Amino acid sequence: MSAPKKLYIKTYGCQMNVYDSERMAEAMGGAGYVETRDVSDADMILLNTCHIREKAAEKVYSELGRFRELKDARPDLKIGVAGCVAQAEGEEIMRRQPLVDLVVGPQSYHRLPEMEARLAKGEKALDTDFPEEDKFEALKARPKARRGPTAFLTVQEGCDKFCAFCVVPYTRGSEVSRPAGRILEEASGLVERGVREITLLGQNVNAYHGVGPKGGDWSLARLIWALSEVDGLERIRFTTSHPNDMSDDLIEAHANCAKLMPYLHLPVQSGSDRILKRMNRKHTAQSYLDVIGRIRAARPDILLSGDFIVGFPEETDADFEDTLRLIEAVGYGTAYSFKYSTRPGTPAANRAQVDPSVADERLQRLQALLTRQQREVQQSMVGREVSVLFEKPGRQPGQMVGKSEYLHAVHVVAPDIRPGDIARVRISESGANSLAGVLI
Ligand code: SF4
């Protein structure tokens, strides 16, 4: 029996790319590949790319250039590009970088084994279709290994919102929700492999509308309630949401579904109605704050997370002050913030840009405010009891690290605790990005 071939996957970008990389590794498992962490040991290299930031494509080309030596030393080495840059650039990648053998978009990676087979015949392989067949169905049969206590599970892909700065609708296509029955099946399979917490993924996950096992239209809330019936699945999370799709039943699930964790990532991007309009976000600062108010009324201890863009074209000082005011009003437990990044092909790309030094200064002020809020929320945990799902050993002897229900990293000296255990912890200390505690 020949030795298994080695696959090296490098993943950029969002949690959905992390999920996709796991699926690609499983797909290639069927073609006789096992994963390696050592690129020099690989028979095949796959870059699973992200297209969300400026120069994303250029970064991929410079990374590919670094494989020149490896390829010269081993001409049978196969090099592939997957993900959103593959979808956006397609054939252009092979034209610009001839050492690339394979380019596959996010909707076609279940076809990787047959594409790899074509390479063996000396051909190149390109597939950036939006195929009819369900890739998840094609991947279902693949053997699956034991895994850690947390997992991502894609339930929805694509987006129909067309925010003026975003490439996702172009690289991931329009919104598609997976059938609820398949998701429940995959979730049960994950629990059998040791998973206790699942994060449901979608570019616009709360717009989920999948067909139910017996027909009918299931919302995300209905799916969450059904998942909460899966034995052994203790925690459920979801990301990424749009404020306009925070439905009453989803907010009610936050109030009453014990397995739905009190953590919500709800991007807003700006606090200025003028800029929100120019971004085509289809909501106002006040409507966003109203949604936050309804969520907090339903689950007062919920930890809120947000996304912000500063320096969006035409943003004035007054617009930026509106954003700071909104952040003060919400009080975020954590948040992600970026300078606007021009994305080719998006409506905002050709508008008047904000001076980069102004954008830098605004980002610093915004991040200082967000860091202050994050520290205050973390400090407010000291003395409180939380429930921690332990994931791995910490750096100190006998130390274990996990996440609380608010998604805070928590470390505890607990030599008898194992990955996958869930235990009550009293928080004793708040650090820069994590908490310390003692088992109760
Ligand atoms: S809702 Fe999110 S994924 Fe959809 S277009 Fe807007 S930013 Fe992009």
Side-chain angles (χ1 to χ4, degrees):
M1 181 141 99
S2 62
K5 292 172 276 185
K6 301 282 180 59
L7 171 66
Y8 174 85
I9 300 185
K10 182 160 185 182
T11 305
Y12 301 80
C14 66
Q15 293 131 325
M16 194 169 283
N17 264 10
V18 174
Y19 175 87
D20 288 349
S21 290
E22 288 172 5
R23 298 286 80 68
M24 287 194 261
E26 276 166 16
M28 293 310 288
Y33 282 80
V34 292
E35 263 199 284
T36 176
R37 288 268 134 269
D38 176 358
V39 69
S40 63
D41 188 25
D43 300 293
M44 184 174 202
I45 296 173
L46 260 184
L47 300 184
N48 187 10
T49 61
C50 168
H51 203 6
I52 218 80
R53 298 272 164 256
E54 193 164 9
K55 305 196 180 66
E58 293 318 310
K59 281 198 192 110
V60 172
Y61 288 116
S62 62
E63 177 89 23
L64 288 168
R66 278 195 279 277
F67 300 140
R68 161 64 50 207
E69 267 178 53
L70 278 178
K71 184 95 174 182
D72 289 348
R74 296 191 30 228
D76 60 340
L77 171 64
K78 300 176 182 73
I79 296 180
V81 178
C84 292
V85 173
Q87 188 66 40
E89 303 263 311
E91 210 153 3
E92 175 65 7
I93 294 175
M94 288 175 172
R95 192 191 64 72
R96 277 189 60 181
Q97 187 43 278
L99 60 74
V100 172
D101 307 293
L102 177 154
V103 173
V104 60
Q107 305 314 333
S108 311
Y109 61 64
H110 58 296
R111 297 175 174 167
L112 271 171
E114 65 203 63
M115 294 176 81
E116 190 264 353
R118 287 213 300 275
L119 303 186
K121 293 189 221 132
E123 298 167 26
K124 297 252 181 181
L126 168 71
D127 191 332
T128 53
D129 289 354
F130 284 94
E132 284 304 308
E133 79 267 16
D134 174 347
K135 66 180 176 195
F136 298 103
E137 206 40 35
L139 291 164
K140 207 167 68 176
R142 299 278 175 232
K144 301 186 170 44
R146 289 285 304 159
R147 51 166 312 138
T150 64
F152 296 130
L153 203 173
T154 291
V155 300
Q156 182 266 356
E157 280 195 271
C159 186
D160 299 338
K161 299 275 195 263
F162 289 92
C163 299
F165 53 81
C166 184
V167 291
V168 169
Y170 312 99
T171 57
R172 292 271 178 173
S174 58
E175 287 169 15
V176 175
S177 294
R178 296 181 63 195
R182 303 270 170 69
I183 295 167
L184 290 165
E185 222 177 281
E186 189 170 336
S188 303
L190 287 169
V191 169
E192 277 160 29
R193 293 161 58 202
V195 170
R196 315 241 12 231
E197 174 181 295
I198 289 178
T199 300
L200 308 177
L201 298 181
Q203 271 89 25
N204 214 7
V205 70
N206 58 347
Y208 175 83
H209 279 289
V211 61
K214 297 195 182 75
D217 175 35
W218 278 34
S219 68
L220 182 65
R222 180 137 186 220
L223 177 65
I224 287 168
W225 279 110
L227 284 165
S228 71
E229 307 288 319
V230 175
D231 261 352
L233 179 57
E234 302 304 333
R235 299 174 148 202
I236 301 166
R237 303 179 188 276
F238 60 87
T239 198
T240 296
S241 301
H242 191 282
N244 291 0
D245 297 308
M246 281 308 295
S247 54
D248 291 348
D249 65 348
L250 191 53
I251 294 176
E252 188 273 332
H254 263 304
N256 301 317
C257 181
K259 290 188 178 179
L260 181 56
M261 295 294 104
Y263 172 94
L264 177 65
H265 180 57
L266 196 62
V268 64
Q269 311 299 356
S270 171
S272 151
D273 287 349
R274 195 180 72 82
I275 292 297
L276 286 169
K277 195 160 182 47
R278 295 296 281 150
M279 285 178 165
N280 192 31
R281 288 288 293 173
K282 302 183 182 72
H283 65 79
T284 62
Q286 191 51 53
S287 69
Y288 178 84
L289 291 172
D290 294 346
V291 170
I292 296 289
R294 287 166 45 218
I295 293 163
R296 281 221 163 108
R299 184 75 201 235
D301 65 325
I302 198 163
L303 187 142
L304 291 166
S305 165
D307 273 357
F308 294 90
I309 294 175
V310 299
F312 184 77
E314 303 150 11
E315 182 189 65
T316 63
D317 288 346
D319 295 321
F320 178 63
E321 295 304 327
D322 287 343
T323 300
L324 296 180
R325 255 191 301 283
L326 178 138
I327 293 172
E328 290 280 11
V330 173
Y332 288 94
T334 183
Y336 307 87
S337 52
F338 310 92
K339 277 191 303 182
Y340 169 71
S341 175
T342 307
R343 307 308 310 122
T346 58
N350 309 320
R351 296 181 193 166
Q353 304 295 310
V354 168
D355 179 313
S357 63
V358 171
D360 284 338
E361 191 261 339
R362 287 178 185 164
L363 187 63
Q364 275 169 24
R365 285 183 58 198
L366 184 126
Q367 289 182 338
L369 172 57
L370 290 171
T371 303
R372 179 173 57 76
Q373 290 190 340
Q374 180 185 331
R375 296 265 162 82
E376 284 166 6
V377 169
Q378 276 191 205
Q379 192 57 41
S380 73
M381 291 291 164
V382 175
R384 285 177 58 180
E385 278 185 29
V386 294
S387 162
V388 176
L389 168 56
F390 288 95
E391 294 173 30
K392 59 186 179 195
R395 291 203 203 93
Q396 314 306 327
Q399 189 186 56
M400 285 296 287
V401 178
K403 295 274 178 30
S404 75
E405 60 268 52
Y406 305 103
L407 212 57
H408 282 135
V410 179
H411 47 86
V412 174
V413 176
D416 303 332
I417 289 280
R418 295 285 163 275
D421 289 351
I422 297 178
R424 301 290 300 167
V425 171
R426 178 167 292 106
I427 300 301
S428 53
E429 205 186 321
S430 170
N433 296 309
S434 68
L435 303 170
V438 288
L439 279 183
I440 300 175

